[in-house]
Amino acid sequence: MTEENRIILNRINKYAEEVLGDIDPQKVPVSMQLEKLKPIMQEIATEKGMSLEDLFILYMDIQSEASVASDQKLQDQLKDLNMGGEMPLLYRD
């Protein structure tokens, strides 16, 4: 992930923590969650000279990339707990 993308992701996630803090993502429709994020996404899109739709796609891509990296880090940590075994005892695919 580029440094620029990391900054974008951090800005959106920080804003999300402020405006979505107490909601249950399982109960609140994604469309409503995205509507709450629209102000920060529009701000960043304007700064970058992008459309809101393009920024949304970029956000989804970098969020997915961050999720994969986080998952890999967890697998590595659990593998260490499993003393280097092939598949960690505490992790399911």
Side-chain angles (χ1 to χ4, degrees), residues 50-82:
M50 304 170 75
S51 70
L52 181 59
E53 293 80 11
D54 286 344
L55 181 71
F56 172 73
I57 292 167
L58 175 64
Y59 171 67
M60 296 305 287
D61 287 347
I62 59 181
Q63 184 68 19
S64 178
E65 187 178 337
S67 179
V68 168
S70 178
D71 187 62
Q72 184 60 51
K73 184 178 178 180
L74 176 61
Q75 285 185 43
D76 292 345
Q77 289 172 339
L78 293 176
K79 186 182 248 184
D80 289 344
L81 290 175
N82 197 31

Side-chain angles (χ1 to χ4, degrees), residues 14-93:
K14 181 179 178 187
Y15 184 84
E17 287 176 16
E18 293 171 12
V19 297
L20 301 174
D22 293 334
I23 71 157
D24 183 348
Q26 301 299 321
K27 293 181 181 177
V28 177
V30 173
S31 60
M32 291 183 77
Q33 294 176 44
L34 290 174
E35 191 62 34
K36 294 272 192 182
L37 296 178
K38 193 173 180 181
I40 190 65
M41 294 180 91
Q42 185 62 63
E43 181 180 313
I44 295 169
T46 300
E47 289 172 8
K48 302 293 180 188
M50 304 170 75
S51 70
L52 181 59
E53 293 80 11
D54 286 344
L55 181 71
F56 172 73
I57 292 167
L58 175 64
Y59 171 67
M60 296 305 287
D61 287 347
I62 59 181
Q63 184 68 19
S64 178
E65 187 178 337
S67 179
V68 168
S70 178
D71 187 62
Q72 184 60 51
K73 184 178 178 180
L74 176 61
Q75 285 185 43
D76 292 345
Q77 289 172 339
L78 293 176
K79 186 182 248 184
D80 289 344
L81 290 175
N82 197 31
M83 296 188 220
E86 189 61 31
M87 183 54 89
L89 295 174
L90 305 172
Y91 185 84
R92 279 188 217 168
D93 275 329

